[in-house]
Amino acid sequence: MTQDRQAMLYGLGAVALWSTVATAFKVALAWMSPLELMWLASLVSWVLMGALVVRQGLVNEALRRGWRTAAWAGLMNPVAYYLVLFAAYDRLPGQEAMALNYTWALTMAFLAVPLLGHRLTRIDVLAGMVAYAGVWVIATRGAVLDVDFADVWGVVFALVSTLLWALYWLLNTRDARSPLVAQWQNFSVGMPVLTLLLWMGPGFEWHGWSAVGAGVYVGLFEMGVAFVLWQLAVHKISRTAKVSNLIFLSPPVSLFLLYWVVGEPILLSTLLGLGLILAGLGLQQRQKVPEPL
């Protein structure tokens, strides 16, 4: 098997797992609060990442350096990003939160202008206009001339999550830590913070084994295994665009699972809005030579 084929299989595995997380979020949040889910999922992911750090002989690297970066990175991811994301999923139908979250790549392109000195192209601007038109369709549930959103805070949380995720990756462009070590250190910083928030707030209640299973699934696959598979895919592929395009397979599968497992009726406004968001992302990815404004 060629290295590119291995990379594509890893990428498909990651996308397959990510396709299930919108459903897993909604199932878990039916029992637990966003903070409870965040704490349990982070604990599972932290243990998994720690085991992988030990297995790959990265313990010395993980303990000796990188903690200055982890001090702020861990507060962004997992703490701030996932708390806001789970709050969005708690308020919105899974299909809407999932679709809105897909605009993070466009958010990153726009934030790269002031943070990294990048220049926007005409295609970037056009892609943004198309994708955020899709956001408007989803936020208004098709009533595009009506500014009375069904859940304004849910939409705000979903869009803020894209801002935090894009900002996190842009600030990490100069991060010298290996990805696995960085992830474990970030969760090592985040776990005490989440534990304190949980202790000061609602506490952790027992909601049954089904709730625990859903939380473990989120931590194991959304924050853990999928991350490792995606990192393997990106590092092994000869050209990043080959594997990055796989992410477009995830939304249709996510919508089907939300309908089949959660029982969410798929809204026409979600389909139209998601189509516009994916069209915008496709435009952004397909541009060849930058065409500066």
Side-chain angles (χ1 to χ4, degrees):
M1 184 180 294
T2 65
Q3 186 162 298
D4 268 14
R5 183 168 293 182
Q6 282 184 332
M8 293 297 285
L9 289 175
Y10 287 136
L12 283 170
V15 169
L17 291 175
W18 278 329
S19 298
T20 68
V21 296
T23 297
F25 290 166
K26 293 301 291 184
V27 170
L29 288 168
W31 287 296
M32 292 184 281
S33 69
L35 186 54
E36 287 176 308
L37 174 58
M38 180 71 239
W39 183 86
L40 178 58
S42 295
L43 177 63
V44 171
S45 184
W46 177 70
V47 171
L48 173 65
M49 293 295 172
L52 292 174
V53 165
V54 171
R55 182 174 181 179
Q56 295 192 16
L58 299 172
V59 175
N60 287 336
E61 178 187 346
L63 294 178
R64 291 182 179 178
R65 49 184 189 272
W67 290 100
R68 183 175 297 180
T69 302
W72 63 263
L75 294 178
M76 291 189 70
N77 173 36
V79 178
Y81 170 67
Y82 279 107
L83 280 178
V84 172
L85 181 64
F86 289 166
Y89 271 93
D90 196 37
R91 286 176 166 270
L92 295 174
Q95 59 191 284
E96 294 182 4
M98 179 271 297
L100 295 175
N101 187 248
Y102 265 84
T103 61
W104 71 267
L106 289 160
T107 305
M108 188 163 64
F110 290 119
L111 284 177
V113 176
L115 293 179
L116 301 181
H118 290 185
R119 296 185 64 187
L120 286 178
T121 68
R122 292 185 178 92
I123 296 297
D124 287 327
V125 175
L126 178 60
M129 292 173 64
V130 171
Y132 285 109
V135 170
W136 186 260
V137 170
I138 292 171
T140 59
R141 296 187 178 173
V144 294
L145 299 180
D146 187 357
V147 295
D148 185 20
F149 298 156
D151 191 319
V152 64
W153 281 111
V155 173
V156 168
F157 286 143
L159 294 178
V160 169
S161 76
T162 70
L163 180 66
L164 288 168
W165 193 241
L167 190 60
Y168 169 78
W169 284 110
L170 288 173
L171 293 176
N172 273 273
T173 54
R174 297 180 178 86
D175 189 351
R177 299 176 298 167
S178 62
L180 187 57
V181 167
Q183 190 80 340
W184 180 77
Q185 288 181 336
N186 290 354
F187 276 83
S188 296
V189 169
M191 275 308 302
V193 176
L194 291 168
T195 302
L196 180 62
L197 290 174
L198 195 66
W199 177 70
M200 293 176 63
F204 190 91
E205 297 182 16
W206 178 254
H207 300 282
W209 287 110
S210 296
V212 171
V216 169
Y217 183 92
V218 170
L220 196 61
F221 294 110
E222 151 67 0
M223 301 177 183
V225 175
F227 170 83
V228 174
L229 289 175
W230 190 256
Q231 288 295 329
L232 287 170
V234 170
H235 281 84
K236 284 180 175 290
I237 201 72
S238 59
R239 192 164 59 88
T240 305
K242 288 183 180 180
V243 74
S244 63
N245 286 331
L246 293 175
I247 202 66
F248 290 94
L249 299 174
S250 183
V253 179
S254 294
L255 289 177
F256 170 75
L257 289 174
L258 284 166
Y259 172 77
W260 186 52
V261 177
V262 180
E264 280 191 10
I266 305 303
L267 302 176
L268 179 60
S269 58
T270 298
L271 294 175
L272 292 174
L274 181 59
L276 288 169
I277 290 170
L278 293 179
L281 292 173
L283 275 174
Q284 185 192 49
Q285 287 208 3
R286 287 182 179 277
Q287 59 180 322
K288 304 295 184 181
V289 180
E291 184 184 352
L293 287 168

